[in-house]
Amino acid sequence: MLIKSVHIARFKLMRDVTIHFSVDPAKPLTVIRGENGSGKTTLLYAMLWGLYGMQGLTKVANVDTPRLTSTFCAPGVPVNVEVEIVFEHTDDLGTSSDYRLRRMVLETPMVDAPPRRGQDQVTLFRLTPEGDKPVNPAEAWIERLVPQRLSDLFFTNGDDIQKFISGRVHSHERQSKVHQAIRELLGIDQLTSSVADLKYVHGNIKRRVSAESGKDAEELENLCENLRRQITEQEVKRAHLESRQKSMEVQQHEWNRELNQLRGIGDLDELNMQINALKKRIEGCRNRVEAALADMRTAFKSQALSLALAATSIDEGRSKLEELADRRVIPNRSLKVLEDRLEDGECICGGDLRPGSVLRDHVQHLLDDQRENSEMVERLTELRYSARGLAVAAADSEDFAARREATLLAYTSARDDLARADVELKQAETKRSRIDDTRVRTLTDELAAVGKKIGDGVLELGRIEERISSLETQLAEREQELAKVTQKNKANRDLIIKRDVAEELRSLAERVQRRLEGEYVQMVSARLQDIFLSIVGAEPDAQLGVFRRVSITEKFDIVVESQHGTNLDTDYELNGASQRALTLAFIWSLMEVAGITAPRLIDTPLGMVSGGVKQRMVNTITHPPTGDQPPYQVILLLTRSEIMEVGELLNQHAGAFATISCSKDYPTDLVYEWPGEEPDVRACSCTHEQACRICARNIDNAHGLAFRDMEAAI
């Protein structure tokens, strides 16, 4: 089946959108360009609904009653939603025909309730020169071509593409998806049904042969039947116990991972000791800060600071005082001399200083002047003697700078140590807050308990295996006895021949089933490894390589082996690009081995992928089939950023291009405004290198797109 075109009417914001796809084997790729919010996911949902109805949509939308109509549709007004898919199918005889599948439904949006929806109307027509011929039942026919349970292989988006490999999906579900995909695509399920039918026929004939061979044979047949029933019961118990063991092992793995994450944060007792030590360290740092600040306060109150600040002025004053002393201005001893001379009545020069003399009046006048200046002279004299003392203290002031520097250094060191210790304390307390000690103890106890249950389960499985082996031995012995009795009593020859033929057919079918399943799985596994290693650019024998081997186990798990022989966790030890490469490699290898001709539509597959990996991935999933590979179809829904680095490959492998845009993006992103009162998604035929009045965006200059004015009428 290859999709030729799709027409979508009134599905979400797609009121009238038609897109054509490439069915050219030489160019199997169709590129649909669209930015985030432009309608790529809506296109994917519309095609799923068109093929599978609401069941196909709820599977990916994760909503019980998804709405098909736009939220801009008026409540209470019925809307006819329609998706029409034209596809090509080649039957087993090699005859190709075109078909038209149309699904319609009347949906009425409601205000505060899910929309009311009628019954889907599904029609399928084969398009012939003589006219359209109905094909019934349409849904059953589509289910045969592209089974809805395998829609993950045919229609997926880049974010959910890891579901075949992700450990976040329960292991049983993941293994079941891989197993079911292999069985469905390789046609093994049909063979399994045939084996079951042959077992039923063989059992009936055996019972008829025994019934005609006498009472002994009938009793032996009943005994054999009872042994078979016991074996089946034990096998059911074994399967149930194995399933339970797997569940416990998954739980054990999850608990171990959680416990390791908690323990990876740090040991609780050790963290408590570290926190206490940090608190003491912080207290010591604070004491050092306070001591340094106290030293600063003392230093600022000291005479040394005053002397250090006033040293220049003091030196200048002392120099002037000494100059006054040198000039005999200070200290002033003339006042006492003049008083003594006046008291004696005779000047030192022998002049008369007795009362009433002219010279006495002159000396008295000088004495009065000296008395007026005596206080100033005395103060200057005191200052001179004090300044001499300061000269001695000034020597100590020279140590203030050194003391100041030492105090500042001590303060800075204590402050920085305090800040570091505070950060370390917060980090340790944050770590401790993330450790749920109760959870650690609970996990430890639960792991011990589940470990014991797993161990008990292993022992019980061993006992079941022994019982099955014993029962099978008894059954083989009874069947040998039954064969002898049947031969001796000469049962109906025709029945014996039918029994033997049925047994041979059953045995042959079982061997073919086991061989086909095993061989196909090995073929898929080998091709999976080739494709994956090719995409990621890994050499299995490279000394510094990461990946050595990829395979599908007997339990249908996809495992990636490192160069050291360990299995890598696909969630935590593979980057996003490698995860996508692994899943795409599985899908492509499975379809190649199965020889299935079917569309492979992927929404935004190149997220988190760039450089050489991106180019190899695109080349691998889009190159034309070679050799005896069947034709296939690839539909990639890509953003402009995803297209970067792979434009040349798209030109080589793409046979059809389309671009979808949404009017809600004007004027923020879109350059041109469309007519219309409500948001609308439209498609144009622009390639990844072009832009027009529908799809032109403000960022297009950065992508070097060529503008075409061919679709001016919008």
Side-chain angles (χ1 to χ4, degrees), residues 398-439:
E398 295 177 358
D399 296 334
F400 177 79
R403 179 181 176 186
R404 172 180 173 276
E405 184 177 353
T407 304
L408 284 175
L409 182 63
Y411 171 77
T412 303
S413 175
R415 182 198 60 191
D416 292 345
D417 287 347
L418 177 62
R420 283 192 294 269
D422 190 55
V423 170
E424 291 177 18
L425 177 63
K426 289 179 179 177
Q427 290 175 342
E429 288 177 338
T430 301
K431 279 187 176 182
R432 186 174 65 178
S433 67
R434 290 166 54 198
I435 297 179
D436 185 346
D437 189 45
T438 303
R439 183 57 178 163

Side-chain angles (χ1 to χ4, degrees), residues 159-427:
D159 294 331
D160 294 336
I161 202 170
Q162 279 83 246
K163 61 186 67 178
F164 290 102
I165 65 170
S166 176
R168 294 186 179 95
V169 178
H170 195 282
S171 62
H172 295 161
E173 180 183 352
R174 183 180 67 248
Q175 293 164 1
S176 176
K177 282 181 176 295
V178 175
H179 191 189
Q180 188 63 31
I182 291 174
R183 293 178 66 89
E184 285 286 343
L185 285 183
L186 301 181
I188 296 174
D189 265 2
Q190 290 91 331
L191 187 56
T192 301
S193 299
S194 300
V195 170
D197 292 341
L198 287 170
K199 283 183 177 180
Y200 179 77
V201 171
H202 179 238
N204 280 341
I205 296 176
K206 284 181 66 178
R207 283 187 288 274
R208 289 177 59 190
V209 169
S210 299
E212 292 191 8
S213 298
K215 186 176 181 181
D216 292 343
E218 191 171 4
E219 289 177 353
L220 283 170
E221 179 59 40
N222 291 335
L223 182 57
C224 288
E225 190 64 30
N226 183 49
L227 289 170
R228 293 190 195 97
R229 185 175 60 255
Q230 292 183 55
I231 291 173
T232 301
E233 290 173 355
Q234 292 300 318
E235 287 175 341
V236 170
K237 286 183 179 180
R238 180 177 61 187
H240 175 73
L241 186 54
E242 285 177 344
S243 175
R244 183 168 170 266
Q245 289 286 97
K246 288 180 181 178
S247 297
M248 289 191 296
E249 287 170 1
V250 169
Q251 187 64 72
Q252 184 186 46
H253 175 72
E254 292 174 355
W255 283 342
N256 265 319
R257 176 178 291 176
E258 182 182 355
L259 184 60
N260 288 335
Q261 288 175 343
L262 290 173
R263 286 175 173 169
I265 298 172
D267 181 78
L268 185 61
D269 295 334
E270 184 178 337
L271 279 173
N272 285 332
M273 292 176 60
Q274 181 183 354
I275 288 171
N276 291 332
L278 285 169
K279 287 181 178 179
K280 291 180 181 178
R281 177 179 158 191
I282 288 173
E283 184 179 357
C285 290
R286 286 174 177 163
N287 292 336
R288 287 166 53 200
V289 169
E290 288 300 323
L293 290 174
D295 286 345
M296 288 182 185
R297 287 192 292 269
T298 301
F300 279 114
K301 293 178 181 178
S302 68
Q303 187 184 51
L305 174 61
S306 301
L307 293 173
L309 295 175
T312 302
S313 299
I314 290 174
D315 289 342
E316 292 177 355
R318 190 170 62 247
S319 297
K320 291 182 178 180
L321 289 171
E322 292 300 328
E323 180 184 351
L324 291 173
D326 292 341
R327 290 165 47 197
R328 305 292 182 178
V329 175
I330 59 172
N332 187 4
R333 294 185 175 86
S334 61
L335 186 63
K336 181 63 176 174
V337 172
L338 292 176
E339 288 176 347
D340 290 344
R341 292 298 97 194
L342 287 177
E343 186 178 349
D344 292 342
E346 183 180 358
C347 181
I348 59 174
C349 63
D352 184 12
L353 295 178
R354 286 177 296 179
S357 63
V358 176
L359 185 59
R360 185 180 178 89
D361 292 339
H362 177 70
V363 172
Q364 187 63 50
H365 179 72
L366 291 174
L367 181 61
D368 292 341
D369 288 343
Q370 290 291 333
R371 282 175 177 166
E372 288 180 4
N373 296 326
S374 64
E375 291 184 5
M376 177 67 71
V377 173
E378 287 177 3
R379 180 62 181 153
L380 289 173
T381 302
E382 290 176 2
L383 284 174
R384 178 181 174 233
Y385 290 119
S386 297
R388 286 182 176 179
L390 290 176
V392 176
D396 295 334
S397 70
E398 295 177 358
D399 296 334
F400 177 79
R403 179 181 176 186
R404 172 180 173 276
E405 184 177 353
T407 304
L408 284 175
L409 182 63
Y411 171 77
T412 303
S413 175
R415 182 198 60 191
D416 292 345
D417 287 347
L418 177 62
R420 283 192 294 269
D422 190 55
V423 170
E424 291 177 18
L425 177 63
K426 289 179 179 177
Q427 290 175 342

Side-chain angles (χ1 to χ4, degrees), residues 512-575:
V512 170
Q513 177 189 4
R514 288 191 296 269
R515 182 175 178 181
L516 281 180
E517 189 166 281
E519 287 183 355
Y520 272 127
V521 170
Q522 290 176 7
M523 292 168 63
V524 173
S525 185
R527 188 67 183 125
L528 164 65
Q529 173 170 291
D530 291 342
I531 296 175
F532 173 72
L533 296 182
S534 174
I535 292 176
V536 299
E539 293 290 339
D541 299 327
Q543 184 176 358
L544 299 180
V546 177
F547 308 116
R548 182 174 71 179
R549 186 169 176 265
V550 182
S551 61
I552 301 175
T553 68
E554 293 180 353
K555 295 181 180 179
F556 298 96
D557 253 332
I558 299 175
V559 298
V560 181
E561 187 177 316
S562 72
Q563 288 289 352
H564 300 290
T566 58
N567 289 343
L568 299 175
D569 189 311
T570 55
D571 284 323
Y572 301 98
E573 295 179 293
L574 264 65
N575 58 39

Side-chain angles (χ1 to χ4, degrees), residues 579-594:
Q579 290 177 347
R580 292 178 184 236
L582 183 58
T583 305
L584 287 173
F586 169 67
I587 295 174
W588 256 246
S589 60
L590 182 55
M591 288 192 169
E592 281 186 17
V593 172

Side-chain angles (χ1 to χ4, degrees), residues 10 12 15 67 69-77 79 109-110 678:
R10 296 168 294 281
K12 296 295 186 182
R15 291 193 180 87
R67 178 172 177 159
T69 52
S70 166
T71 55
F72 289 90
C73 292
V77 179
V79 178
M110 307 300 292
E678 297 177 358

